[in-house]
Amino acid sequence: MRSFLIFLGLLVWAVPAVAIDGTALLRQVDRNLNPESYESYRKLINIEPDGRKKEFTLFTVKKGRDKVASLFIAPASEKGRSTLRLGDNMWFYIPNVGKPIRITSLQSVVGGVFNNADILQLDYAEEYTVEKLEEQGNEYLLHLKAKTKTVAYDRIRLWQARKRYFRPKSNV
């Protein structure tokens, strides 16, 4: 009987706990935050370090994983301006200029504290890899690293509530 208990103890110790796949979790976060295709109205509030605020209203359309367009609706000074992102390529259109201007994700089309990547964000899994996944109480913490230098942020820490994460069903 004692050898059976030792064997059972070794078996339990040798069987690894079910590990969470960080990449699968990141893809699910993407689907929750940004469905693959959508239309939405968004309000961005830029708060400067001195406390001044400026609000922007945009109509945004996303199609697939790498196509995003936004049209500025308000304030009046920005109305009609638009941005387009196809993969890593981004353009900004100002109606009275008449031709699109190529932009980067690090720039800000409105001169605020947010940048073009914040307006034209693609799926995190398209632009970042999961370096590390931590379980912290009721949350998962994903440490993300940019896949290329063309994205706005080299590293991101992203928290996901454990109760909101539904593990994919196994085919086994």
Side-chain angles (χ1 to χ4, degrees):
M1 180 71 169
R2 183 170 187 249
S3 10
F4 174 73
L5 290 175
I6 291 172
F7 172 75
L8 185 60
L10 288 173
L11 181 64
V12 170
W13 179 73
V15 176
V18 176
I20 302 299
D21 179 353
T23 302
L25 175 58
L26 185 58
R27 285 189 189 119
Q28 185 172 345
V29 168
D30 283 333
R31 292 296 62 82
N32 291 342
L33 293 176
N34 290 316
E36 194 161 312
S37 296
Y38 67 85
E39 296 178 9
S40 70
Y41 288 93
R42 300 164 63 188
K43 180 177 272 191
L44 299 174
I45 302 172
N46 183 53
I47 303 173
E48 294 291 337
D50 66 4
R52 288 182 296 131
K53 292 182 183 180
K54 188 169 184 181
E55 294 185 8
F56 302 89
T57 305
L58 301 96
F59 176 71
T60 302
V61 178
K62 181 180 177 209
K63 181 74 171 162
R65 292 186 172 177
D66 65 348
K67 298 173 188 77
V68 182
S70 290
L71 174 67
F72 286 80
I73 298 169
S77 62
E78 306 295 323
K79 191 173 183 177
R81 293 180 178 209
S82 56
T83 55
L84 172 66
R85 179 172 186 171
L86 301 172
D88 290 335
N89 301 303
M90 296 183 198
W91 294 271
F92 181 50
Y93 178 77
I94 304 171
N96 58 357
V97 172
K99 107 179 202 184
I101 302 165
R102 190 162 172 104
I103 57 175
T104 69
S105 63
L106 299 173
Q107 295 172 304
S108 176
V109 296
V110 292
V113 294
F114 55 87
N115 57 42
N116 297 335
D118 296 326
I119 298 172
L120 299 168
Q121 178 186 354
L122 295 178
D123 292 348
Y124 287 108
E126 292 293 316
E127 298 181 326
Y128 295 90
T129 57
V130 178
E131 276 192 320
K132 182 178 173 185
L133 172 64
E134 296 178 48
E135 295 185 33
Q136 296 185 342
N138 293 326
E139 300 174 325
Y140 295 112
L141 171 57
L142 292 157
H143 296 264
L144 308 178
K145 171 82 172 114
K147 291 180 180 179
T148 68
K149 294 191 183 293
T150 62
V151 297
Y153 308 105
D154 182 51
R155 294 182 187 279
I156 293 178
R157 289 185 301 168
L158 189 144
W159 284 264
Q160 168 66 44
R162 290 179 87 161
K163 66 182 178 180
R164 299 263 183 200
Y165 175 60
F166 304 103
R167 292 185 178 105
K169 290 185 180 177
S170 173
N171 293 337
V172 179

